[in-house]
Amino acid sequence: MSDSDLHLENQLCFALYRASRMIQQVYRPMLEELGLTYPQYLVMLVLWERGSVTLKELGAALELDSGTLSPLIKRLKAAGLVTSARRVTDERSVEIALTPEGRALRERATDIPHKIGCATQMQVDDIISLRSMLTDLAASLADSHTKATKD
Amino acid sequence: MSDSDLHLENQLCFALYRASRMIQQVYRPMLEELGLTYPQYLVMLVLWERGSVTLKELGAALELDSGTLSPLIKRLKAAGLVTSARRVTDERSVEIALTPEGRALRERATDIPHKIGCATQMQVDDIISLRSMLTDLAASLADSHTKATKD
DNA sequence: GGCAATTTAATTGCGCACAACTTAATTGTG
DNA sequence: CACAATTAAGTTGTGCGCAATTAAATTGCC
């Protein structure tokens, strides 16, 4: 183990941290036009795909818990983009659904992926390859983490 | 532009967001033993490398502003790991330096990079390659962002 | 059927990130 | 030298992330 192992620029974690924050900076002005924050946009992506989901399903898709999602959904409700209601078959669950306004917002988001693609200055194949490596990495890390914490 | 462009799992941004948060989860229990949060650890990495830096230099290294760093440094001071003082040659700048305790903490962090490496379940060369791609991506995104916002 | 264990959300508290603003010191220019 | 422009930190306010706790509904087991 060399000394350079503790240098900032040699850390994979810092490269991830920086790239993740930087891409959110690129999204910010585009999402601002839609009145969304970045995590709110991710929630809308799930809803545009599935129409309606429970908070638990949303949490599974985004790997976020109710501590993050409950207040976020409250803000999306206040913005008139979603509704939420307890399920009649199981009152523990909350079903989140799109309002017509929430569904309509999708049209104003369709050009965002292309704009982001341009900003990366990468070939489509390279983006797909990088995305795949990151997904595999996340899975490996989740694996190590659950093993380490014995749950 | 296909419909699938707006699917969560197809987004590079989400893969980054998830991997970045996941790796921080793996760091968390290790850093907890040192009494550090993840961003505090990044600050300590810079200080272990350079000994002392101004807040501005720290911000340049981590791409964080005083709004994030000022309160973070206040907490590291309270923990007895760093000192901070206005520069005599330029009272606008604040010099952050390690205390002996802060310097000593490095010894307890030396095995972290290896543990993280194991958790990734990746070959060293692949980690280096991925890190390099992320660094390049961050640079491209920063480039697009500064061009788009004209500064 | 009764009740303990489990499941699902919501709440609380803390520490980032980041935009916007304020304050104070320094630099540059006429 | 005066003073406008710039630079560096700090402050304020908002919205995450995440751990820990609480509350309520459901499930499972006797």
Side-chain angles (χ1 to χ4, degrees):
Chain A
M1 167 147 3
S2 81
D3 276 2
S4 68
D5 284 351
L6 276 176
H7 285 191
L8 180 68
E9 288 296 335
N10 293 344
Q11 308 301 312
L12 174 62
C13 69
F14 178 62
L16 276 167
Y17 170 78
R18 178 171 51 188
S20 180
R21 285 191 302 125
M22 194 60 72
I23 203 166
Q24 289 182 44
Q25 292 295 315
V26 178
Y27 272 96
R28 192 177 307 277
M30 306 180 201
L31 296 181
E32 210 163 294
E33 290 180 29
L34 308 189
L36 295 174
T37 64
Y38 178 74
Q40 287 167 9
Y41 172 68
L42 296 181
V43 167
M44 294 305 288
L45 285 180
V46 175
L47 288 170
W48 288 331
E49 253 182 85
R50 304 199 205 169
S52 85
V53 287
T54 62
L55 193 70
K56 180 182 166 57
E57 289 165 345
L58 202 50
L62 301 173
E63 307 203 49
L64 290 170
D65 65 12
S66 66
T68 299
L69 291 175
S70 287
L72 187 156
I73 293 297
K74 196 184 293 182
R75 285 185 282 270
L76 288 179
K77 276 178 75 171
L81 299 174
V82 308
T83 59
S84 77
R86 294 278 167 180
R87 273 197 168 158
V88 275
T89 54
D90 186 343
E91 292 270 340
R92 286 173 304 181
S93 293
V94 166
E95 189 88 25
I96 319 291
L98 287 169
T99 61
E101 293 75 26
R103 194 173 299 280
L105 192 65
R106 185 183 186 284
E107 301 312 310
R108 298 212 277 140
T110 48
D111 59 338
I112 290 181
H114 176 68
K115 285 184 185 169
I116 296 294
C118 293
T120 63
Q121 299 178 35
M122 288 172 67
Q123 299 298 314
V124 173
D125 287 353
D126 294 336
I127 293 178
I128 291 173
S129 155
L130 177 57
R131 193 185 69 206
S132 168
M133 289 172 73
L134 292 170
T135 299
D136 292 348
L137 173 62
S140 296
L141 291 169
D143 187 49
S144 316
H145 188 247
T146 52
K147 271 181 190 158
T149 56
K150 279 112 191 150
D151 57 350
Chain B
M1 164 148 4
S2 80
D3 278 2
S4 66
D5 284 352
L6 275 176
H7 284 192
L8 180 69
E9 288 295 335
N10 293 344
Q11 308 302 313
L12 175 61
C13 69
F14 178 63
L16 276 168
Y17 170 79
R18 178 172 50 189
S20 180
R21 285 191 301 124
M22 193 59 72
I23 202 166
Q24 289 182 45
Q25 292 295 316
V26 178
Y27 272 96
R28 191 177 307 278
M30 305 180 202
L31 296 181
E32 209 163 294
E33 290 180 29
L34 308 189
L36 296 174
T37 64
Y38 178 73
Q40 287 167 8
Y41 173 67
L42 296 181
V43 167
M44 293 305 287
L45 285 180
V46 175
L47 288 171
W48 288 331
E49 253 183 84
R50 305 201 204 168
S52 86
V53 287
T54 63
L55 193 70
K56 180 181 166 57
E57 289 165 345
L58 202 50
L62 301 172
E63 307 202 49
L64 290 169
D65 65 10
S66 66
T68 299
L69 291 176
S70 287
L72 188 156
I73 293 297
K74 197 185 290 183
R75 284 184 283 271
L76 288 180
K77 275 177 76 172
L81 298 174
V82 308
T83 58
S84 77
R86 295 277 167 179
R87 273 197 170 159
V88 274
T89 54
D90 186 342
E91 292 271 340
R92 287 173 305 181
S93 293
V94 166
E95 187 89 24
I96 319 291
L98 287 169
T99 61
E101 293 75 27
R103 192 174 298 279
L105 193 65
R106 186 182 185 283
E107 300 313 309
R108 297 212 278 140
T110 47
D111 58 340
I112 290 181
H114 175 68
K115 285 184 184 169
I116 296 294
C118 293
T120 63
Q121 299 178 34
M122 287 172 68
Q123 298 299 314
V124 173
D125 286 353
D126 294 337
I127 293 178
I128 291 173
S129 156
L130 177 57
R131 193 186 68 205
S132 167
M133 289 173 73
L134 291 170
T135 299
D136 292 348
L137 173 63
S140 296
L141 290 169
D143 188 49
S144 316
H145 188 246
T146 53
K147 271 181 191 157
T149 55
K150 277 111 190 151
D151 58 348

